[in-house]
Amino acid sequence: DQQVKQNSPSLSVQEGRISILNCDYTNSMFDYFLWYKKYPAEGPTFLISISSIKDKNEDGRFTVFLNKSAKHLSLHIVPSQPGDSAVYFCAASAEGAQKLVFGQGTRLTINP
Amino acid sequence: KAGVTQTPRYLIKTRGQQVTLSCSPISGHRSVSWYQQTPGQGLQFLFEYFSETQRNKGNFPGRFSGRQFSNSRSEMNVSTLELGDSALYLCASSAQGLAGINEQFFGPGTRLTVL
C-alpha cells in the first residue's frame, strides 16, 4: 500500500523556468511533509518542509504547497538551475514520529 | 558541524553471513533512523532509536536489528543475509526530542551487496 505517491517518474524542464513536482498521500494522519533531493551515491539532502497547519512554505527558490483536502503537495523551484537536476523525494510523517514514509521519487532534469 | 557519517561505505557479503553497519549522527542529535533503499521498493523505514531505545519500527523481519549507544552512535545488524538484502542502507539523524523538529539529515549510506 503506497501511502505516498509521486506519479511522475521523471520531469524535464528548461533552465530558468519553473519546475513543479507533485506528490499525493492517502493517510490522513500525516501532519508533516518534507522534500528531499538526492544525487547518485549520496544520501538524500533535506530541502524544505511544511506542517499541516500551513498551506505554503517558502525558502529561497523553493516553495512547497499543501492542499489538505486533496491530500496533495507540490514543490515549486523557480528559477530552475542545472544543479537542480537530481531525484526528488517527498516524505510524510504522522504525529511527530520519526518514521518517514517516502514516495518513489521524481527524476528532475534541467536542460540548458 | 560535521554531518552524519556511515561506515563502511561499501560492503560485499555472501548469503548466510551477517553484517553490522555503523552510523554517527550529527553532534547533539539524539534520534537515529535507518532506511533501506532498493530500486524496487524505494526508501523504506527500518527503525528509529532515541536515547538508546527503539522508538519506531518498520515492517522488516527480525533478521534486521539495531542498537544505539549512550553517545547516540547507532549500529544496525542484518543476520543470515539474503540476496534481496542488497541495497543502500541510509542512516538519518534528527534533533527531534524538541517539539516540532522533524527534519532528518541523512548520511551518504552504506552500499551492501550480497552474493
Side-chain angles (χ1 to χ4, degrees):
Chain A
D1 175 29
Q2 193 75 20
Q3 296 185 66
V4 178
K5 297 179 185 180
Q6 293 176 256
N7 291 318
S8 298
S10 63
L11 177 67
S12 188
V13 174
Q14 202 76 18
E15 182 179 358
R17 299 288 191 109
I18 182 172
S19 295
I20 300 176
L21 296 103
N22 294 302
C23 180
D24 297 297
Y25 62 96
T26 57
N27 188 340
S28 56
M29 298 301 292
F30 288 147
D31 57 9
Y32 202 80
F33 304 89
L34 308 91
W35 283 94
Y36 285 86
K37 177 168 82 170
K38 189 178 186 300
Y39 295 116
E42 294 183 14
T45 301
F46 170 74
L47 278 175
I48 192 168
S49 61
I50 188 167
S51 163
S52 60
I53 63 173
K54 295 185 175 181
D55 54 19
K56 177 183 173 181
N57 189 26
E58 197 170 349
D59 184 1
R61 297 187 298 116
F62 302 93
T63 303
V64 57
F65 295 92
L66 175 63
N67 182 333
K68 288 188 293 294
S69 61
K71 293 191 174 69
H72 176 84
L73 64 154
S74 61
L75 174 68
H76 293 209
I77 306 173
V78 183
S80 299
Q81 299 174 353
D84 296 330
S85 294
V87 178
Y88 288 77
F89 291 93
C90 70
S93 71
E95 299 174 313
Q98 289 301 297
K99 175 182 177 178
L100 293 181
V101 180
F102 282 86
Q104 291 293 92
T106 296
R107 181 176 301 279
L108 175 65
T109 302
I110 305 301
N111 302 307
Chain B
K1 201 182 243 189
V4 178
T5 58
Q6 292 186 246
T7 57
R9 289 295 309 277
Y10 302 92
L11 208 47
I12 299 175
K13 292 285 188 179
T14 56
R15 278 181 300 174
Q17 286 188 310
Q18 70 141 21
V19 67
T20 299
L21 311 181
S22 182
C23 171
S24 293
I26 292 172
S27 178
H29 286 191
R30 295 163 63 192
S31 169
V32 174
S33 300
W34 289 88
Y35 293 83
Q36 181 197 64
Q37 185 183 23
T38 59
Q41 299 298 319
L43 271 156
Q44 292 191 292
F45 173 80
L46 280 155
F47 30 65
E48 183 233 353
Y49 286 86
F50 182 83
S51 292
E52 302 179 65
T53 301
Q54 187 180 88
R55 194 163 60 169
N56 288 288
K57 190 177 188 306
N59 297 324
F60 279 82
R63 299 185 298 107
F64 292 81
S65 63
R67 61 177 175 168
Q68 187 180 34
F69 302 94
S70 58
N71 61 357
S72 294
R73 191 177 69 85
S74 177
E75 289 180 347
M76 70 161 280
N77 184 78
V78 189
S79 62
T80 320
L81 284 166
E82 300 176 0
L83 294 179
D85 297 333
S86 294
L88 181 66
Y89 289 88
L90 292 158
C91 167
S93 75
S94 168
Q96 214 261 355
L98 304 175
I101 299 174
N102 280 339
E103 289 83 0
Q104 295 183 20
F105 297 88
F106 284 82
T110 294
R111 171 71 63 186
L112 172 65
T113 302
V114 182
L115 303 175

